[in-house]
Amino acid sequence: MILQNLGVAITGSGSALPANCLDNETLSKLVDTSDEWIASRTGIRQRRLANSSQSVSEIASIAAKDAIAMAGISPLDIDLIILATSTADDLFGSACQIQTQIGATNAVAFDLTAACSGFVFGLVTAAQFIRTGVYQNVVLIGGDILSRWVDWQDRSTCVLFGDGAGAVVIQATESDRLLGFEIRSDGTQNNCLNLSYSPESQPLTPGIEVGKGNFKPITMNGKEVYRFAVQRVPEVIDKALFRANITTEQVDWLILHQANQRILDAVAQRLNIPSHKVISNLASYGNTSAASIPIALDEAVRNGQIKTGDTIVASGFGAGLTWGAAIFKWGI
């Protein structure tokens, strides 16, 4: 039954990171780089890497359980699970595995792929189900294990990426805490950042060949991605702020996708948001794709930085190319 229109609130968060830590000094023994080179260009000092037996669904389930516990509800209360990922354990999807692992037997589950914008796109998607009264309790997870898709001899990319998962619980409320959003895509720039299919032929029978299922490692045009981010992200945040009818002065926290400290600094400067309002943890974890915003959010909530009622701007950007922003107040 479709209920009346409802508001949206984010009521719980959680995160999970692999135990293995690869710092810049150790990485410099594997590829021609250095701690100074990496840190000065990216702000990254170390990153967490999943081992060969760990799965996206495993770390995503840990994050989801923590978010559900913070929200004070049961897994049986969950109506919908959205997994934002580009590195599913199963190309057919991993969200259903999470449903089983967390015991959310009443939930429907599906994957959403929008690369590093996945969490913001997932938040907007979840909100539509809630606002129309279809579902009341949604778990949104951003999770990626990018280390499996990195060329560890390519210093332009291998220094950037780490693994992890972050989750939030989104619930129906009388007062809408999702104040505004804007999401965008531009396929003409798709070649700037890829984890693409690698064409290989596999003969079936004389005269008939099919492709063999392999993917190339991550490739990126760093200069173009930087140029895209520092131009498009402030624009999309401005549009979301306009929709929310608030100004940057009313923003308590800016949580950008944790791609590069230079990008974070440039976006904040263009928006005239002071550095003390910018949440950054990429020095410890690197670029964790769809996981980066919810991991940063969860850490800031648990360490007491973000408090109930704080106004947060979250913005993701990345492959596709995709980008988007959401303005919300934390908690009910």
Side-chain angles (χ1 to χ4, degrees), residues 81-131:
I81 298 167
I82 301 174
L83 172 64
T85 187
S86 300
T87 57
D89 308 316
D90 181 339
L91 282 179
F92 291 154
S94 294
C96 290
Q97 297 173 47
I98 296 167
Q99 182 224 39
T100 297
Q101 291 175 29
I102 68 175
T105 54
N106 297 318
V108 65
F110 62 81
D111 289 18
L112 180 154
T113 301
C116 303
S117 305
F119 179 80
V120 172
F121 279 41
L123 176 58
V124 172
T125 301
Q128 310 316 306
F129 283 105
I130 292 174
R131 284 174 166 171

Side-chain angles (χ1 to χ4, degrees), residues 242-310:
F242 176 79
R243 293 181 184 279
N245 195 29
I246 64 173
T247 65
T248 53
E249 288 76 17
Q250 295 170 277
V251 172
D252 294 303
W253 302 103
L254 176 64
I255 307 180
L256 299 176
H257 165 51
Q258 305 288 295
N260 185 305
Q261 190 62 47
R262 287 180 172 180
I263 293 176
L264 272 62
D265 294 341
V267 171
Q269 184 176 13
R270 291 196 178 196
L271 293 168
N272 292 317
I273 294 177
S275 59
H276 70 268
K277 290 186 175 184
V278 180
I279 302 292
S280 175
N281 65 0
L282 62 85
S284 298
Y285 307 127
N287 180 343
T288 55
S289 191
S292 74
I293 293 174
I295 290 173
L297 173 66
D298 182 52
E299 285 196 336
V301 168
R302 292 181 185 272
N303 69 21
Q305 282 181 279
I306 293 177
K307 298 177 174 59
T308 299
D310 282 358

Side-chain angles (χ1 to χ4, degrees), residues 46-65:
Q46 60 186 31
R47 68 284 296 149
R48 300 292 187 89
L49 305 180
N51 62 41
S52 59
S53 65
Q54 286 180 302
S55 64
V56 168
S57 58
E58 176 187 335
I59 58 175
S61 295
I62 295 169
K65 287 177 181 178

